[in-house]
Each structure stands twice: as structure tokens, then as C-alpha cells.
Amino acid sequence: MNIRIKALAAALALCASTATIAAEPIKIGLSGPFTGGSSPMGVSMRDGVKLAADEINKKGGVLGRQIQLIERDDEAKNERGVQVSQELINKEHVIATLGYINTGVSLASQRFYQEAKIPVLNNVATGSIVTKQFLPPQYPDNYVFRTSANDTIQSALIVKEAIDTQKFTKVAILADSTNYGQLGREDLEKALAAKNVKPVAVEKFNIKDVDMTAQLLKAKEAGAQAILTYAIGPELAQIANGMEKLGWKVPMIGSWTLSMGNFIDNAGKNGEGARMPQTFIQEPNTPKRKAFITAYQKAYKVDRIPSPVSAAQGYDSMYILAAAIKQAGSTDGVKIREALENLNEKVDGVITTYDRPYTHDDHEAITINMPVMGEVKNGRVVYAYEADKGQVVREKAKGKAPAKK
């Protein structure tokens, strides 16, 4: 009898142990700048991811387990990003990471995920090279994915707006000195060259610079009809305010960061009319978007999302990753990558419905047909063109994987 009791007790203990293991949360890294000049993007992305994770957890989680987000502030610093990635992988044992706002931080940090065969979904960083660091033949498999519109796409849309739509023939480029600014500037120059246009001035400035007079004077003296920008909110505001001080006003057309709250607020009336490509505009023009906006406003007690694009892309990235984990039936990095590259289930996102967003050779979820042009108006970003407001379903263009470099 004692032997039977002991055997039963051992079996129960084993079952309890197995149940405990099965119930352990799924750890997912969440890395971005939650302080500093890039924080509107980082905080919005983080809050979008958290909103999605909470929704998923309330429905039972994934594989019967809850999602646990492990947040780390990379401070928009490359060296800090490297430290965070190593900590998330080696100490926290995350099975994937969502994030990266700054292209430089992404390029410095994501190699550790590649080495560990752990997927990382860039949901804001846009540098064209981000998903091309680890391509064949040197790397048979790539663990870097993206849910934002890369700079090849953005620069083409900026140039289309400036040259084709607004018919400008003389444009200047002002870009910050970071990886983001300079890689974006290169993409802009390539896009202009494709239309046989050479910028009349190409000027650079540093993060935290507060006087753009010298750069703007060169653009003005060269006869620039518009300023094309690649930078983030605080410095973009200095450009807009600098033009006001000079008594010179030409349109600003730039990358998506012209939608940042700290550009709109710091530039005030001087930022009115600025245009930029957007994957998402805070407009409840679909049921999914309305539900997302309402939930975000309620959860974080805000009216205007600090960076709507970042929030939406973060939210969608969480749902895409959850779908891949579910399909893989595992938290193994290799299996999750394979699932991401061949998702069977459509993912109903805020930006779009993702129908097989990735393949083995194409890790970009957004194609050039998906973003629309936004415009700063009365302290918010609105649709620059009313027609775009009605064309809300823009699925990925198939058969257009980016060329390998």
C-alpha cells in the first residue's frame, strides 16, 4: 500500500511540475528609446505592443501560455542597444524581440539575435539595410523582420510628392548625422537621381542642434523650392522654426518622422503643411482602427497618440509574432522564423490585413503601395489627399521582394 501511495504521490508531483512548466509565460523582448528625443516613437511603439499583448493574454495567450513582455530602454544609443540585446538573450532568455526605433541601434544590436537564431521584428526602424544585414550565401537564414516602411519606399514617396505631384524642380536635403539621417539621405539622392534631379543643397546637422540658420541659408541661396528632410522631431522643429526666423517659408516634405508629436508641438504654426509618408494616420476609418484608437486612448489617457505610426506598427508586430508562435506550436527560434516566412493565418492588423507578409527571401511586411501621404494640420496629422482616406485596405504587393544586396 505504501508503495502505491508513494507512486501516486510521485505521479502527482510530476504532473504538477509539468503543469508549472507548461504555464510558464512566453518571454518576449521589447526594446526601444523610452526616454530622450526619440521617446515619442519608443513609448508609442511600446504601448501599442502592450495593448496587443494584453488583448492576446485576455483571450488565453498563445499555446496556453501568457505573454510576458521584458521591457528595456535602449536610450537611442548604439552601445546601450548592444547591452540590452545581450541581456534579453542571455539573462532573460527571450524567444523573440519586438522593437528598435533607431536604425543605428538596430544595426548594432540585431546581430546577437541572428547569432542566437532568435527572431527580431523591427517595428519602427526604417533604414533600408536593416533587413539586409544577414543574407545568403553568407547567412542561409535571416532572423530579422520588419513591419515598417523602409527608407527605399519612403524616399521614393517623398520624391514623388515633391517632383511629380508638386512639380518642384529645385529641392534641398537636410538630414541629421545619425545612421538614420545619412542612410535616408543616400536613399533620397538615389530617388532624385532616378528622376534626373540633383538637390541644390545637401546639408547635415547633429542631434540636439538648435540653430539651423547656416544650413537653411545655403538652401535658400541655392533657390530651393522645398526642403526634404530625414531627422527626428526636435531637430525637424528647429528647421521649421529656423525658416520662420529667416522670413523664408518653403514646404517641408520628409520621412514619416514629421508626424512625431514633438515636431508638431515644438514647431507649432511653423510646422503646418509638412508632409510625410504614413502607414497609419489616427483616423477611425475602419472598425479595427476605431477599436485600436479607442483602446489606446482609454489605456494611456491621451487624445493624440504621440507617434501613431509607431503605435500601430508595434501593435501589429505583436499579433504577427503571436500568429507565428501559434503556427510553430513552439517557442523555438528556428521554428518561429520558419512560421513567419510561411504564415498560414491572415493577421487582421491596424495597418492592413497581413496575408503571408514574409517569405524566406522577403522580410518586409510593407510594400510601396501601402503608405499614404500625411499632412500636419491644426496640431495633428491628417490625410493629405481625401481619396486616400477612403482607400483603407492596401494589401501587400505580391511578387515584389526587394532585390538582394
Side-chain angles (χ1 to χ4, degrees), residues 271-282:
E272 288 284 298
R275 290 190 173 185
M276 75 302 288
Q278 300 280 273
T279 57
F280 172 73
I281 289 173
Q282 190 178 330

Side-chain angles (χ1 to χ4, degrees), residues 41 99-108 110 121-135 142 144-155 158 176 178-188 190 230-232 255-257 313 363-366 402-403 405:
M41 299 181 286
Y100 292 132
I101 305 300
N102 308 88
T103 294
V105 177
S106 175
L107 295 176
Q110 62 190 13
L121 272 71
N122 283 267
N123 48 24
V124 178
T126 59
S128 296
I129 195 176
V130 163
T131 56
K132 297 181 174 67
Q133 272 190 300
F134 310 110
L135 297 182
N142 180 8
V144 179
F145 297 80
R146 174 155 43 197
T147 60
S148 55
N150 66 49
D151 288 335
T152 300
I153 292 171
Q154 297 215 26
S155 59
I158 293 165
D176 70 35
T178 66
N179 288 72
Y180 172 67
Q182 291 307 299
L183 290 172
R185 185 262 310 158
E186 289 179 11
D187 284 331
L188 270 180
K190 290 176 185 175
Y230 249 92
I232 62 171
S255 62
W256 74 274
T257 48
Q313 290 169 177
H363 285 193
E364 303 277 1
I366 305 297
K405 292 184 180 179

Side-chain angles (χ1 to χ4, degrees), residues 349-365:
V350 173
I351 293 168
T352 188
T353 296
Y354 300 88
D355 182 7
R356 296 186 183 273
Y358 307 114
T359 66
H360 182 269
D361 298 321
D362 177 8
H363 285 193
E364 303 277 1

Side-chain angles (χ1 to χ4, degrees), residues 340-397:
L340 283 167
E341 292 173 342
N342 189 33
L343 273 180
N344 297 324
E345 174 189 344
K346 288 185 179 181
V347 178
D348 186 18
V350 173
I351 293 168
T352 188
T353 296
Y354 300 88
D355 182 7
R356 296 186 183 273
Y358 307 114
T359 66
H360 182 269
D361 298 321
D362 177 8
H363 285 193
E364 303 277 1
I366 305 297
T367 46
I368 195 167
N369 63 305
M370 297 167 74
V372 298
M373 195 59 62
E375 178 179 340
V376 177
K377 188 174 183 180
N378 297 324
R380 304 180 82 91
V381 173
V382 300
Y383 285 88
Y385 300 103
E386 193 67 24
D388 286 333
K389 187 174 180 179
Q391 298 174 8
V392 293
V393 179
R394 294 174 178 231
E395 294 188 355
K396 181 171 181 175

Side-chain angles (χ1 to χ4, degrees), residues 220-231:
K220 180 182 179 182
E221 290 166 1
Q225 300 162 316
I227 300 291
L228 310 186
T229 62
Y230 249 92

